[in-house]
mmCIF file of all heavy atoms in Angstrom:
data_model
loop_
_atom_site.group_PDB
_atom_site.id
_atom_site.type_symbol
_atom_site.label_atom_id
_atom_site.label_comp_id
_atom_site.label_asym_id
_atom_site.label_seq_id
_atom_site.Cartn_x
_atom_site.Cartn_y
_atom_site.Cartn_z
ATOM 1 N N VAL A 48 -69.231 5.926 -87.369
ATOM 2 C CA VAL A 48 -69.720 5.716 -85.982
ATOM 3 C C VAL A 48 -71.097 6.488 -85.755
ATOM 4 O O VAL A 48 -72.000 5.908 -85.385
ATOM 5 C CB VAL A 48 -68.629 6.029 -84.897
ATOM 6 C CG1 VAL A 48 -69.330 6.115 -83.511
ATOM 7 C CG2 VAL A 48 -67.563 5.031 -84.879
ATOM 8 N N VAL A 49 -70.988 7.773 -86.060
ATOM 9 C CA VAL A 49 -72.139 8.676 -85.977
ATOM 10 C C VAL A 49 -73.355 8.052 -86.804
ATOM 11 O O VAL A 49 -74.431 8.046 -86.369
ATOM 12 C CB VAL A 49 -71.823 10.087 -86.207
ATOM 13 C CG1 VAL A 49 -72.991 10.942 -86.358
ATOM 14 C CG2 VAL A 49 -70.925 10.658 -85.085
ATOM 15 N N LYS A 50 -73.051 7.631 -87.999
ATOM 16 C CA LYS A 50 -74.008 7.135 -88.834
ATOM 17 C C LYS A 50 -74.563 5.878 -88.345
ATOM 18 O O LYS A 50 -75.869 5.834 -88.302
ATOM 19 C CB LYS A 50 -73.353 6.790 -90.284
ATOM 20 C CG LYS A 50 -74.367 6.702 -91.367
ATOM 21 C CD LYS A 50 -73.770 6.824 -92.740
ATOM 22 C CE LYS A 50 -74.381 6.274 -93.861
ATOM 23 N NZ LYS A 50 -74.076 4.802 -94.168
ATOM 24 N N LYS A 51 -73.790 4.982 -87.852
ATOM 25 C CA LYS A 51 -74.330 3.651 -87.265
ATOM 26 C C LYS A 51 -75.101 3.908 -85.953
ATOM 27 O O LYS A 51 -76.120 3.219 -85.837
ATOM 28 C CB LYS A 51 -72.995 2.874 -86.901
ATOM 29 C CG LYS A 51 -73.353 1.433 -86.563
ATOM 30 C CD LYS A 51 -73.489 0.642 -87.794
ATOM 31 C CE LYS A 51 -73.829 -0.744 -87.608
ATOM 32 N NZ LYS A 51 -74.209 -1.484 -88.854
ATOM 33 N N LEU A 52 -74.656 4.941 -85.148
ATOM 34 C CA LEU A 52 -75.426 5.059 -83.902
ATOM 35 C C LEU A 52 -76.958 5.628 -84.247
ATOM 36 O O LEU A 52 -77.796 5.280 -83.690
ATOM 37 C CB LEU A 52 -74.727 6.092 -83.096
ATOM 38 C CG LEU A 52 -73.482 5.788 -82.357
ATOM 39 C CD1 LEU A 52 -72.838 6.897 -81.621
ATOM 40 C CD2 LEU A 52 -73.878 4.534 -81.363
ATOM 41 N N ALA A 53 -76.889 6.569 -85.315
ATOM 42 C CA ALA A 53 -78.208 7.050 -85.662
ATOM 43 C C ALA A 53 -79.052 5.923 -86.242
ATOM 44 O O ALA A 53 -80.255 5.926 -86.057
ATOM 45 C CB ALA A 53 -78.091 8.129 -86.781
ATOM 46 N N GLU A 54 -78.505 4.967 -87.003
ATOM 47 C CA GLU A 54 -79.323 3.884 -87.570
ATOM 48 C C GLU A 54 -79.804 2.852 -86.552
ATOM 49 O O GLU A 54 -80.843 2.300 -86.631
ATOM 50 C CB GLU A 54 -78.373 3.108 -88.607
ATOM 51 C CG GLU A 54 -78.218 3.798 -89.978
ATOM 52 C CD GLU A 54 -77.089 3.190 -90.730
ATOM 53 O OE1 GLU A 54 -76.588 2.050 -90.309
ATOM 54 O OE2 GLU A 54 -76.763 3.840 -91.678
ATOM 55 N N THR A 55 -78.913 2.576 -85.546
ATOM 56 C CA THR A 55 -79.196 1.436 -84.674
ATOM 57 C C THR A 55 -79.680 1.901 -83.271
ATOM 58 O O THR A 55 -80.290 1.078 -82.618
ATOM 59 C CB THR A 55 -77.889 0.556 -84.490
ATOM 60 O OG1 THR A 55 -76.844 1.414 -83.997
ATOM 61 C CG2 THR A 55 -77.400 -0.115 -85.818
ATOM 62 N N ASN A 56 -79.445 3.178 -82.877
ATOM 63 C CA ASN A 56 -79.937 3.643 -81.646
ATOM 64 C C ASN A 56 -79.702 2.739 -80.423
ATOM 65 O O ASN A 56 -80.698 2.388 -79.762
ATOM 66 C CB ASN A 56 -81.340 3.955 -81.869
ATOM 67 C CG ASN A 56 -81.881 5.173 -80.938
ATOM 68 O OD1 ASN A 56 -80.953 5.878 -80.480
ATOM 69 N ND2 ASN A 56 -83.089 5.212 -80.746
ATOM 70 N N PRO A 57 -78.505 2.314 -80.180
ATOM 71 C CA PRO A 57 -78.345 1.316 -79.073
ATOM 72 C C PRO A 57 -78.758 1.994 -77.735
ATOM 73 O O PRO A 57 -78.686 3.090 -77.569
ATOM 74 C CB PRO A 57 -76.790 1.142 -79.050
ATOM 75 C CG PRO A 57 -76.305 2.223 -79.892
ATOM 76 C CD PRO A 57 -77.220 2.726 -80.829
ATOM 77 N N PRO A 58 -79.464 1.028 -76.933
ATOM 78 C CA PRO A 58 -80.160 1.481 -75.763
ATOM 79 C C PRO A 58 -79.396 1.949 -74.547
ATOM 80 O O PRO A 58 -80.036 2.727 -73.755
ATOM 81 C CB PRO A 58 -81.092 0.258 -75.427
ATOM 82 C CG PRO A 58 -80.216 -0.867 -75.846
ATOM 83 C CD PRO A 58 -79.502 -0.369 -77.067
ATOM 84 N N ASP A 59 -78.225 1.544 -74.342
ATOM 85 C CA ASP A 59 -77.621 1.820 -72.992
ATOM 86 C C ASP A 59 -76.201 2.083 -73.287
ATOM 87 O O ASP A 59 -75.606 1.925 -74.300
ATOM 88 C CB ASP A 59 -77.848 0.714 -71.964
ATOM 89 C CG ASP A 59 -77.253 -0.588 -72.511
ATOM 90 O OD1 ASP A 59 -76.500 -0.660 -73.402
ATOM 91 O OD2 ASP A 59 -77.707 -1.643 -71.959
ATOM 92 N N VAL A 60 -75.472 2.632 -72.149
ATOM 93 C CA VAL A 60 -74.059 3.052 -72.254
ATOM 94 C C VAL A 60 -73.220 2.021 -72.808
ATOM 95 O O VAL A 60 -72.478 2.267 -73.777
ATOM 96 C CB VAL A 60 -73.658 3.259 -70.763
ATOM 97 C CG1 VAL A 60 -72.159 3.595 -70.749
ATOM 98 C CG2 VAL A 60 -74.490 4.471 -70.100
ATOM 99 N N SER A 61 -73.280 0.677 -72.390
ATOM 100 C CA SER A 61 -72.444 -0.308 -72.916
ATOM 101 C C SER A 61 -72.636 -0.673 -74.261
ATOM 102 O O SER A 61 -71.692 -0.796 -75.101
ATOM 103 C CB SER A 61 -72.714 -1.566 -72.005
ATOM 104 O OG SER A 61 -71.853 -2.606 -72.431
ATOM 105 N N SER A 62 -73.934 -0.587 -74.821
ATOM 106 C CA SER A 62 -74.098 -0.986 -76.156
ATOM 107 C C SER A 62 -73.685 0.217 -77.052
ATOM 108 O O SER A 62 -73.345 -0.034 -78.228
ATOM 109 C CB SER A 62 -75.631 -1.341 -76.432
ATOM 110 O OG SER A 62 -76.544 -0.372 -75.957
ATOM 111 N N VAL A 63 -73.683 1.406 -76.686
ATOM 112 C CA VAL A 63 -73.270 2.599 -77.409
ATOM 113 C C VAL A 63 -71.771 2.336 -77.580
ATOM 114 O O VAL A 63 -71.241 2.406 -78.710
ATOM 115 C CB VAL A 63 -73.555 3.970 -76.774
ATOM 116 C CG1 VAL A 63 -72.795 4.959 -77.385
ATOM 117 C CG2 VAL A 63 -75.081 4.237 -76.661
ATOM 118 N N LEU A 64 -71.080 2.077 -76.536
ATOM 119 C CA LEU A 64 -69.554 1.941 -76.541
ATOM 120 C C LEU A 64 -69.317 0.789 -77.451
ATOM 121 O O LEU A 64 -68.349 0.835 -78.238
ATOM 122 C CB LEU A 64 -69.022 1.640 -75.156
ATOM 123 C CG LEU A 64 -69.081 2.927 -74.233
ATOM 124 C CD1 LEU A 64 -68.775 2.637 -72.876
ATOM 125 C CD2 LEU A 64 -68.130 4.145 -74.765
ATOM 126 N N LYS A 65 -70.023 -0.229 -77.471
ATOM 127 C CA LYS A 65 -69.733 -1.504 -78.245
ATOM 128 C C LYS A 65 -69.990 -1.153 -79.787
ATOM 129 O O LYS A 65 -69.128 -1.559 -80.595
ATOM 130 C CB LYS A 65 -70.690 -2.670 -77.833
ATOM 131 C CG LYS A 65 -70.256 -3.939 -78.649
ATOM 132 C CD LYS A 65 -70.896 -5.142 -78.013
ATOM 133 C CE LYS A 65 -70.318 -6.411 -78.859
ATOM 134 N NZ LYS A 65 -71.090 -7.555 -78.466
ATOM 135 N N THR A 66 -70.990 -0.356 -80.049
ATOM 136 C CA THR A 66 -71.217 0.102 -81.449
ATOM 137 C C THR A 66 -70.071 0.907 -81.988
ATOM 138 O O THR A 66 -69.607 0.695 -83.084
ATOM 139 C CB THR A 66 -72.460 0.857 -81.586
ATOM 140 O OG1 THR A 66 -73.549 0.042 -81.051
ATOM 141 C CG2 THR A 66 -72.768 1.272 -82.933
ATOM 142 N N VAL A 67 -69.552 1.776 -81.069
ATOM 143 C CA VAL A 67 -68.354 2.617 -81.500
ATOM 144 C C VAL A 67 -67.225 1.658 -81.768
ATOM 145 O O VAL A 67 -66.482 1.787 -82.856
ATOM 146 C CB VAL A 67 -68.031 3.548 -80.409
ATOM 147 C CG1 VAL A 67 -66.696 4.363 -80.749
ATOM 148 C CG2 VAL A 67 -69.173 4.545 -79.973
ATOM 149 N N ALA A 68 -67.023 0.587 -80.915
ATOM 150 C CA ALA A 68 -65.838 -0.089 -81.028
ATOM 151 C C ALA A 68 -65.956 -0.973 -82.359
ATOM 152 O O ALA A 68 -65.076 -0.974 -83.111
ATOM 153 C CB ALA A 68 -65.881 -1.255 -79.886
ATOM 154 N N MET A 69 -67.022 -1.569 -82.590
ATOM 155 C CA MET A 69 -67.245 -2.447 -83.832
ATOM 156 C C MET A 69 -67.077 -1.578 -85.042
ATOM 157 O O MET A 69 -66.472 -2.043 -86.060
ATOM 158 C CB MET A 69 -68.520 -3.218 -83.860
ATOM 159 C CG MET A 69 -68.718 -4.042 -82.588
ATOM 160 S SD MET A 69 -67.295 -5.116 -82.009
ATOM 161 C CE MET A 69 -67.283 -6.335 -83.200
ATOM 162 N N THR A 70 -67.655 -0.410 -85.064
ATOM 163 C CA THR A 70 -67.611 0.421 -86.208
ATOM 164 C C THR A 70 -66.146 0.963 -86.544
ATOM 165 O O THR A 70 -65.696 0.960 -87.669
ATOM 166 C CB THR A 70 -68.670 1.584 -86.036
ATOM 167 O OG1 THR A 70 -69.862 1.085 -85.721
ATOM 168 C CG2 THR A 70 -68.718 2.344 -87.337
ATOM 169 N N LEU A 71 -65.419 1.299 -85.493
ATOM 170 C CA LEU A 71 -64.024 1.806 -85.659
ATOM 171 C C LEU A 71 -63.247 0.569 -86.189
ATOM 172 O O LEU A 71 -62.372 0.801 -87.062
ATOM 173 C CB LEU A 71 -63.392 2.285 -84.322
ATOM 174 C CG LEU A 71 -63.959 3.652 -83.822
ATOM 175 C CD1 LEU A 71 -63.266 3.940 -82.440
ATOM 176 C CD2 LEU A 71 -63.708 4.701 -84.838
ATOM 177 N N ILE A 72 -63.396 -0.663 -85.654
ATOM 178 C CA ILE A 72 -62.655 -1.756 -86.164
ATOM 179 C C ILE A 72 -62.814 -2.021 -87.552
ATOM 180 O O ILE A 72 -61.930 -2.290 -88.336
ATOM 181 C CB ILE A 72 -62.891 -2.960 -85.161
ATOM 182 C CG1 ILE A 72 -62.342 -2.829 -83.796
ATOM 183 C CG2 ILE A 72 -62.383 -4.291 -85.797
ATOM 184 C CD1 ILE A 72 -62.816 -3.784 -82.714
#
Side-chain angles (χ1 to χ4, degrees):
V48 164
V49 165
K50 196 163 162 262
K51 192 79 180 172
L52 286 176
E54 282 165 13
T55 58
N56 209 21
D59 56 22
V60 177
S61 180
S62 56
V63 170
L64 292 169
K65 187 168 183 188
T66 303
V67 177
M69 302 319 281
T70 311
L71 287 179
I72 291 169

